[in-house]
């Protein structure tokens, strides 16, 4: 009976995490959080989840994300093929290990964001967090505008749901994960693609976070210039005005609409106009001189370029040549490297140190594997 139940269990998904330094949770009451964690359930899903074997170890992967895309402030974002991995395993004592990006500076204590997320979800499910060992393997640079904090939120929350017996692969529980993560973040432009992958448009409607996928043109590549210096999101948001001019709102509405049409119809050329912005980038240029880097990227052949998230990373769109398969020949990579060199040279003239990376969008969001005490894979 137990064996057949195990074989029929629907895969329990966990999250990945972009480990980041500790931060405080929102002030949402534990009772309202517990109510939200209940989510949508049915008799069948409750029965199925009752068959799940206890998870002893969870391996969670989550992608980097880029948000805003120019005019889509707090609304647009897509996943990048750059991943963080978190391994959570039951142990006889708490332990935190961080490797890669953030090593030596991310909190190794229980105030780490991933640990906080796991504890909060388990508490909302009426469970105490057992002693756990956390191993974070990070490729996403923290506080660079590539969604590291959103990755940490998604990873920790999803891991907590899985450890609490929730099947995070179902649409209902993925929606629940989105609600939890977006409520903590305050917007869903990064967490939505971290969960669902691809290009997502996200907004809040009557207390519910809604997201919908947009087509990404074949052959699109992303050239990222990642400065060595960080830009804390809180500081970047603090410089934004409380009100904007109507003409600036109209400017962004038109370009955001054109941007969606460009992606939906695989038009690359208009992106240089469609990725212009007047809601956030102009107010942040005194914090980091990104405008010359964008200009030089466009002159080198990029279709469009923008400040990724709150910055300071600058992302340029290239690709869409030949048969639009970046792995079919060297042309796409060659053109992306030309843009990369132009961005690095531009930054050097400005006295800005950093590195470049060429990535592709990820059509997949969080994925994970779970193992029992004997090391047998459960999903």
């Amino acid at each position: 009976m137990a064996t057949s139940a195990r074989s029929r269990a629907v895969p329990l998904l966990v999250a990945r995490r972009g480990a980041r330094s500790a931060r405080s949770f929102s002030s949402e009451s534990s009772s309202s959080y517990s109510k939200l964690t209940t989510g949508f359930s049915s008799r069948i899903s409750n029965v199925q989840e009752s068959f799940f074997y206890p998870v002893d170890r969870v391996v969670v992967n989550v992608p980097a994300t880029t948000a805003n895309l120019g005019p889509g402030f707090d609304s647009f974002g897509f996943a990048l093929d750059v991943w963080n991995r978190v391994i959570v395993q039951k142990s006889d004592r708490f332990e935190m290990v961080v490797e890669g990006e953030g090593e030596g500076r991310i909190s190794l204590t229980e105030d780490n964001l991933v640990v906080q997320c796991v504890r909060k979800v388990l508490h909302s499910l009426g469970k105490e967090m057992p002693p756990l060992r956390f191993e974070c393997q990070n490729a996403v640079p923290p506080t660079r505008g590539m969604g590291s904090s959103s990755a940490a939120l998604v990873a920790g929350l999803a891991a907590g749901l899985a450890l609490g017996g929730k099947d995070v692969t179902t649409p209902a529980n993925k929606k629940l994960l989105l609600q939890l993560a977006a409520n903590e973040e305050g917007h869903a432009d990064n967490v939505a693609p971290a969960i669902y992958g691809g290009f997502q448009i996200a907004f809040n409607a009557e207390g519910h976070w809604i997201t919908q996928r947009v087509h990404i043109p074949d052959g699109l590549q992303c050239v990222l210039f990642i400065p060595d210096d960080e830009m804390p999101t809180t500081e970047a948001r603090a410089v934004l005005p409380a009100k904007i001019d109507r003409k600036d709102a109209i400017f962004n509405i038109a370009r955001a609409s054109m941007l969606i049409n460009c992606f939906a119809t695989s038009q690359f050329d208009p992106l240089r106009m469609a990725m212009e912005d007047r809601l956030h980038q102009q107010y942040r240029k005194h914090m980091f001189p990104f405008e010359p880097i964008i200009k030089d990227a466009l002159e080198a052949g990029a279709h469009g370029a923008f400040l990724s998230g709150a910055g300071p990373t600058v992302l340029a769109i290239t690709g869409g040549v030949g048969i639009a398969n970046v792995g079919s020949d060297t042309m796409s990579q060659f053109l992306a490297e030309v843009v990369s060199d132009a961005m690095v040279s531009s930054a050097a003239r400005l006295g800005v140190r950093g590195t470049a990376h060429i990535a592709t969008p990820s059509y997949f969001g969080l994925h994970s594997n779970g193992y029992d005490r004997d090391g047998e894979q459960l999903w």
Side-chain angles (χ1 to χ4, degrees):
M1 179 71 173
T3 302
S4 61
R6 175 183 298 186
S7 64
R8 291 196 307 270
V10 179
L12 241 202
L13 243 218
V14 185
R16 350 15 208 276
R17 80 137 281 219
R20 159 139 153 147
S21 55
R23 83 177 192 193
S24 298
F25 272 109
S26 65
S27 58
E28 185 178 21
S29 68
S30 58
S31 60
S32 61
Y33 199 86
S34 297
K35 182 178 180 181
L36 181 58
T37 312
T38 303
F40 174 86
S41 63
S42 68
R43 176 177 176 175
I44 291 176
S45 63
N46 290 336
V47 170
Q48 283 184 284
E49 288 180 349
S50 72
F51 292 150
F52 290 150
Y53 273 55
V55 178
D56 189 73
R57 180 166 63 99
V58 175
V59 180
V60 184
N61 300 278
V62 67
T65 51
T66 182
N68 298 334
L69 281 59
F73 181 67
D74 277 4
S75 304
F76 296 174
F78 65 77
L80 298 168
D81 194 21
V82 178
W83 297 83
N84 283 352
R85 173 181 295 161
V86 167
I87 303 170
V88 184
Q89 183 165 9
K90 291 182 180 179
S91 180
D92 56 357
R93 62 185 178 88
F94 169 80
E95 185 179 0
M96 168 68 73
V97 177
V98 174
E99 299 175 333
E101 292 288 348
E103 184 176 351
R105 48 182 296 273
I106 289 178
S107 172
L108 301 180
T109 69
E110 294 194 32
D111 67 356
N112 183 286
L113 181 56
V114 176
V115 181
Q116 291 186 62
C117 289
V118 171
R119 179 186 292 108
K120 190 168 185 178
V121 169
L122 288 174
H123 180 74
S124 69
L125 294 172
K127 302 175 184 293
E128 292 297 321
M129 187 176 78
L132 297 171
R133 182 182 190 274
F134 294 81
E135 182 178 346
C136 305
Q137 301 170 357
N138 302 327
V140 183
T143 56
R144 297 301 205 293
M146 295 177 63
S148 62
S149 63
S150 296
L153 274 172
V154 169
L157 293 170
L161 289 171
L163 290 167
K166 290 287 186 180
D167 180 1
V168 193
T169 65
T170 67
N173 283 328
K174 288 182 77 172
K175 177 178 177 288
L176 166 62
L177 179 58
L178 176 68
Q179 309 310 304
L180 296 173
N183 280 349
E184 295 292 350
E185 195 80 322
H187 41 88
D189 53 348
N190 285 110
V191 296
I195 295 169
Y196 293 99
F199 181 172
Q200 301 286 335
I201 303 176
F203 58 86
N204 189 286
E206 300 180 354
H208 293 274
W209 292 97
I210 308 296
T211 186
Q212 187 172 43
R213 181 183 287 252
V214 177
H215 167 76
I216 294 180
D218 292 337
L220 186 148
Q221 285 188 286
C222 304
V223 183
L224 299 105
F225 174 74
I226 308 168
D228 291 343
D229 293 332
E230 302 177 0
M231 184 184 291
T233 302
T234 52
E235 295 181 16
R237 295 187 79 88
V239 302
L240 302 182
K243 297 181 180 180
I244 60 171
D245 290 337
R246 181 182 299 173
K247 63 180 181 180
D248 289 339
I250 295 172
F251 183 97
N252 269 56
I253 290 171
R255 281 155 180 78
S257 301
M258 181 179 288
L259 175 58
I260 296 302
N261 186 60
C262 287
F263 272 72
T265 58
S266 297
Q267 298 185 66
F268 284 89
D269 289 342
L271 286 175
R272 65 174 50 235
M273 293 181 289
M275 287 183 162
E276 294 174 334
D277 165 77
R278 287 186 183 173
L279 292 189
H280 70 102
Q281 291 189 164
Q282 62 180 321
Y283 301 108
R284 290 166 168 166
K285 61 184 180 182
H286 72 281
M287 302 180 69
F288 173 69
F290 60 86
E291 288 183 328
I293 301 175
I294 289 178
K295 179 177 179 291
D296 288 341
L298 295 176
E299 290 181 352
H303 301 300
F306 56 92
L307 188 65
S308 180
T313 293
V314 178
L315 191 151
I317 299 295
T318 64
V321 298
I323 61 173
N325 183 341
V326 298
S328 64
D329 54 37
T330 62
M331 182 56 71
S332 291
Q333 184 68 19
F334 171 76
L335 294 176
E337 290 176 0
V338 170
V339 172
S340 171
D341 290 342
M343 296 172 76
V344 171
S345 297
S346 180
R349 289 194 297 271
L350 296 167
V352 176
R353 295 179 300 175
T355 58
H357 179 71
I358 300 172
T360 56
S362 173
Y363 296 92
F364 302 98
L366 71 88
H367 61 273
S368 68
N369 299 104
Y371 302 85
D372 66 12
R373 186 175 300 178
D374 298 323
E376 182 176 347
Q377 186 169 333
L378 301 175
W379 73 82

